[in-house]
Amino acid sequence: RGKSRSPSLGEASSAKAVTISIRAAMTGNALFEISGDPDDRVVDFKRVVQARMGDETALRLFCKGRVLRHWETLAQSGALEDKVVSVVRVPHPRIVTASWDQTARIWALTSGECTTIFCGHQRQLSSAVLSSDGE
């Protein structure tokens, strides 16, 4: 599914390199620019964007209103056509699980760690949902 991380990703060293503008999806404000080759994978491009953003917040990358898939190359994703990628920060990505051991757990998706355990249920749990405000 594509090649591994290009050593030139984020740098304008390749003859095929294209500069892509990274913009905040909510405001449209330009944040910075990154150079990449058409054959670079989106997952590697996203790592460079993440490093430039300077925090551990999960990100979603969009081009023309479509989420960029991590296995795609930049050429396949359509990012090279407009040379603009929008970024959205996804704060504290979490998932909740229910278990037959009578617990519900909240997991941090970025680290894979269990952050909260809800005990004391009288029966096995078959489902759990986070509320729309994430609490």
Side-chain angles (χ1 to χ4, degrees), residues 10-100:
E11 305 166 8
S13 61
S14 169
K16 297 189 302 182
V18 175
T19 300
I20 298 173
S21 175
I22 306 302
R23 298 185 177 272
M26 299 301 287
T27 64
N29 292 341
L31 301 173
F32 47 85
E33 293 182 340
I34 296 178
S35 294
D37 288 341
D39 295 331
D40 289 332
R41 290 187 310 152
V42 168
V43 66
D44 298 320
F45 186 77
K46 185 176 178 180
R47 286 185 188 122
V48 174
V49 172
Q50 184 84 48
R52 292 286 301 271
M53 297 292 284
D55 60 30
E56 294 297 317
T57 305
L59 302 176
R60 297 289 182 270
L61 301 179
F62 296 86
C63 181
K64 298 181 187 173
R66 184 177 84 66
V67 176
L68 303 187
R69 305 293 179 203
H70 69 275
W71 62 84
E72 295 175 320
T73 65
L74 291 178
Q76 293 167 331
S77 74
L80 301 181
E81 294 169 22
D82 286 347
K83 298 183 179 87
V84 174
V85 169
S86 298
V87 62
V88 173
R89 292 177 193 240
V90 183
H92 312 292
R94 299 180 288 177
I95 189 169
V96 63
T97 60
S99 178
W100 286 28

Side-chain angles (χ1 to χ4, degrees), residues 73-129:
T73 65
L74 291 178
Q76 293 167 331
S77 74
L80 301 181
E81 294 169 22
D82 286 347
K83 298 183 179 87
V84 174
V85 169
S86 298
V87 62
V88 173
R89 292 177 193 240
V90 183
H92 312 292
R94 299 180 288 177
I95 189 169
V96 63
T97 60
S99 178
W100 286 28
D101 69 359
Q102 301 174 351
T103 65
R105 297 172 190 255
I106 296 179
W107 302 84
L109 289 179
T110 53
S111 67
E113 294 181 42
C114 177
T115 60
T116 307
I117 301 174
F118 298 97
C119 301
H121 296 86
Q122 300 300 313
R123 295 191 171 144
Q124 298 170 343
L125 304 178
S126 61
S127 64
V129 177

